[in-house]
Amino acid sequence: DIVLTQSPGTLSLSPGERATLSCRASQSVSSSYLAWYQQKVGQAPRLLIYGASSRATGIPDRFSGSESGTDFTLTISRLEPEDFAVYYCQQYGSSPITFGQGTRLEIK
Amino acid sequence: EVQLVQSGSAVKKPGESLKISCKGSGYSFTSYWIAWVRQMPGKGLEWMGIIYPGDSDTRYSPSFQGQVTISADKSSSTAYLQWSSLKASDTAMYYCARSAYSSWYSGYWGQGTLVSVSS
């Protein structure tokens, strides 16, 4: 199984700041099949990014994804109040699909 | 509009059986994989397995293989997750999620079904 390790576990920032979330895979992720999801309390996850860097429909352009080998990054350029949530990465290139353990983005 | 509507919360005792559902609408139900994802209280997301309703091809995470059964009914556009004998450790929120057309990331999610198992 591909293990995804997210860091940091918790990120404390202020609105307007830039957020950088990391996801490291234990082995190569086939065809850049890496997605990012946002989950707010009491809600289902929402797809942000797929294919490592493609934004899902309706996702603001302040969200961007990138990859370098087995390291993947989600960047939020300027944090809005509604961006404070938990973020998960997911690899879907090989079965079983796996998720990272999540990064909590909290207001400083 | 694509929608996944899940069945309501369930409160069960250990050893009981349970089948929860996820009804798809607004798209061709047989053409997209549907996954089930567990989220235990205060914890992260865990992928349980996935089914292709068109031919019932099903894949399970090794962690859940033999513990649950995933199925789908094309006639009612409904996917199911079932347990034959629940444990307290099955207490969690369960989400169904529809894949993209040719990839397994999930662009559409159900609202979740809360399953509570307690004696």
Side-chain angles (χ1 to χ4, degrees):
Chain A
D1 300 5
I2 296 178
V3 176
L4 299 178
T5 303
Q6 293 187 240
S7 62
T10 301
L11 186 57
S12 299
L13 294 169
S14 301
E17 291 192 295
R18 180 185 186 90
T20 303
L21 287 67
S22 175
C23 174
R24 173 166 290 175
S26 61
Q27 56 190 274
S28 178
V29 175
S30 174
S31 302
S32 301
Y33 282 171
L34 192 287
W36 289 92
Y37 299 86
Q38 176 194 67
Q39 188 179 32
K40 297 181 180 179
V41 174
Q43 296 184 18
R46 177 175 72 142
L47 176 69
L48 300 174
I49 300 286
Y50 63 93
S53 60
S54 297
R55 270 188 303 277
T57 302
I59 301 304
D61 61 7
R62 65 179 181 275
F63 291 90
S64 63
S66 62
E67 69 172 299
S68 176
T70 57
D71 290 334
F72 297 84
T73 302
L74 174 70
T75 301
I76 311 172
S77 58
R78 282 180 59 85
L79 285 166
E80 298 287 343
E82 63 267 28
D83 298 336
F84 292 91
V86 180
Y87 292 83
Y88 296 94
C89 58
Q90 176 203 49
Q91 70 79 22
Y92 54 94
S94 60
S95 185
I97 292 171
T98 49
F99 288 95
Q101 81 279 18
T103 290
R104 180 177 305 277
L105 178 55
E106 64 176 28
I107 298 176
K108 188 172 183 180
Chain B
E1 177 194 9
V2 174
Q3 284 194 314
L4 296 173
V5 178
Q6 297 186 228
S7 48
S9 300
V11 179
K12 306 293 279 185
K13 290 180 167 38
E16 292 185 330
S17 63
L18 176 66
K19 192 173 188 177
I20 63 175
S21 65
C22 169
K23 183 173 176 60
S25 63
Y27 71 99
S28 174
F29 182 74
T30 55
S31 300
Y32 295 81
W33 295 80
I34 288 187
W36 286 94
V37 175
R38 182 175 80 173
Q39 188 167 38
M40 299 177 77
K43 302 298 184 182
L45 305 173
E46 299 174 271
W47 187 81
M48 302 175 72
I50 197 166
I51 187 166
Y52 188 74
D55 61 5
S56 293
D57 184 5
T58 307
R59 320 285 174 85
Y60 292 93
S61 166
S63 299
F64 293 93
Q65 178 86 48
Q67 308 305 308
V68 296
T69 301
I70 293 171
S71 61
D73 177 5
K74 290 187 286 190
S75 67
S76 62
S77 298
T78 303
Y80 299 96
L81 177 66
Q82 68 181 88
W83 296 260
S84 59
S85 181
L86 287 160
K87 302 186 275 288
S89 58
D90 293 317
T91 295
M93 181 70 82
Y94 293 87
Y95 294 101
C96 64
R98 198 205 80 172
S99 71
Y101 184 72
S102 56
S103 291
W104 280 358
Y105 64 88
S106 297
Y108 295 92
W109 292 69
Q111 83 277 19
T113 295
L114 182 61
V115 174
S116 298
V117 184
S118 174
S119 55

